[in-house]
Amino acid sequence: MVTYLSKFGIEAFVGPKKKYSTDANLAGLSHEAEDLESVQTPMTIVDPEMGVWPKDAPDAEELVELTFDGARCVAVNGKRLSPLEVISLANTIGGRNGLGISHALENRIIGTKSRGVYEAPGMELLGRALEYLYQAVLDRRAAALFAHLSSLVSNQIYDGRWFDPATVAARKAIDELTKTASGVVKVGCYKGNIHFHSLSDVAASLYNEADSSMEASDGLNPVSSQGYAEIQAVEARSLALAGQIAK
């Protein structure tokens, strides 16, 4: 490939000889082929390019504050940034803390499997923080629908179908579901792990400490659960009487 490109005056950097190939973009890297094609080869033969292995990350937890507006990160540690600056900084922070290195036997569209070792430190950091925010603002049904739509869109992207009607419709639905996902998420990064620290300024949060408390009854009256449990039991009893529940 390098020789071919050179015929057209295009200089390509080969890099050091490795026992696998690497493809890269702003969101992450994929390491595949050659020695990695054998499942007897450990993923640790890969030399991370966007960060470090968790064992080589600092021994101290790094706190990171991420501000989201409509499910989009707009500031890191209180500083307003462009989308490009956000992902670039998230890659740097996540990378030095050993985040986002994974292994997979991937299901390819042609019906075979391929093996890869992946790096996506910034996506891991932003995605996990956003997940904590979604937990606060999405109700049970919205969360289930969001998970389904996310899976659909990811599969469509993998198949190169970004502009398909199904993808467009799903993306619009996701925008509607997540438009209230605004707030500040603080997490701690430590040796490949992300620890939740706090949520603040989440105006659309559905979490009510009084209702959720297992120590007090200042909100929802626990006695109210009795009638709900009895109603839920009606169908279960009917199924049992009809012999549809295995003993």
Side-chain angles (χ1 to χ4, degrees):
M1 177 62 75
V2 175
T3 303
Y4 175 78
L5 291 174
S6 66
K7 294 179 181 179
F8 299 90
I10 301 174
E11 184 178 356
F13 175 68
V14 180
K17 176 62 178 176
K18 299 184 298 184
K19 296 182 178 180
Y20 51 86
S21 66
T22 300
D23 294 322
N25 59 40
L26 186 63
L29 303 178
S30 64
H31 307 288
E32 301 169 314
E34 298 188 50
D35 285 11
L36 283 175
E37 291 183 347
S38 170
V39 292
Q40 300 303 312
T41 303
M43 65 184 289
T44 49
I45 70 165
V46 169
D47 184 17
E49 297 182 24
M50 298 184 75
V52 298
W53 287 104
K55 66 181 180 61
D56 299 319
D59 292 331
E61 182 181 53
E62 179 177 356
L63 296 181
V64 186
E65 189 176 88
L66 302 166
T67 303
F68 291 90
D69 183 7
R72 288 170 171 76
C73 186
V74 297
V76 179
N77 292 328
K79 182 179 180 181
R80 300 281 300 189
L81 299 171
S82 69
L84 175 60
E85 291 171 328
V86 167
I87 187 60
S88 297
L89 181 54
N91 279 332
T92 299
I93 296 172
R96 67 183 174 225
N97 286 287
L99 303 183
I101 302 178
S102 61
H103 168 276
L105 293 177
E106 174 186 327
N107 292 310
R108 302 180 66 192
I109 190 173
I110 59 175
T112 63
K113 285 184 178 287
S114 63
R115 185 193 182 197
V117 176
Y118 304 92
E119 298 180 57
M123 296 292 282
E124 179 73 10
L125 175 58
L126 295 171
R128 186 67 63 82
L130 187 54
E131 182 181 344
Y132 291 138
L133 185 55
Y134 285 157
Q135 290 173 0
V137 301
L138 297 180
D139 64 56
R140 180 164 52 89
R141 290 164 297 279
L145 178 57
F146 174 80
H148 170 70
L149 293 171
S150 294
S151 177
L152 186 151
V153 171
S154 65
N155 287 329
Q156 289 286 92
I157 292 173
Y158 186 89
D159 293 349
R161 296 181 176 278
W162 176 258
F163 296 104
D164 277 16
T167 312
V168 174
R171 287 167 49 211
K172 289 181 178 179
I174 288 174
D175 287 342
E176 178 65 24
L177 288 170
T178 62
K179 64 184 181 182
T180 59
S182 301
V184 180
V185 186
K186 181 182 287 187
V187 296
C189 304
Y190 180 69
K191 289 187 176 296
N193 295 289
I194 299 176
H195 303 143
F196 173 85
H197 274 255
S198 67
L199 273 178
S200 58
D201 300 327
V202 186
S205 176
L206 300 175
Y207 178 72
N208 184 311
E209 188 172 340
D211 286 346
S212 305
S213 176
M214 298 181 184
E215 308 298 330
S217 299
D218 295 332
L220 178 68
N221 185 351
V223 177
S224 302
S225 301
Q226 180 177 342
Y228 176 77
E230 290 174 350
I231 291 173
Q232 292 293 305
V234 171
E235 185 177 27
R237 285 198 300 268
S238 296
L239 289 169
L241 290 172
Q244 295 190 37
I245 294 181
K247 297 181 180 179

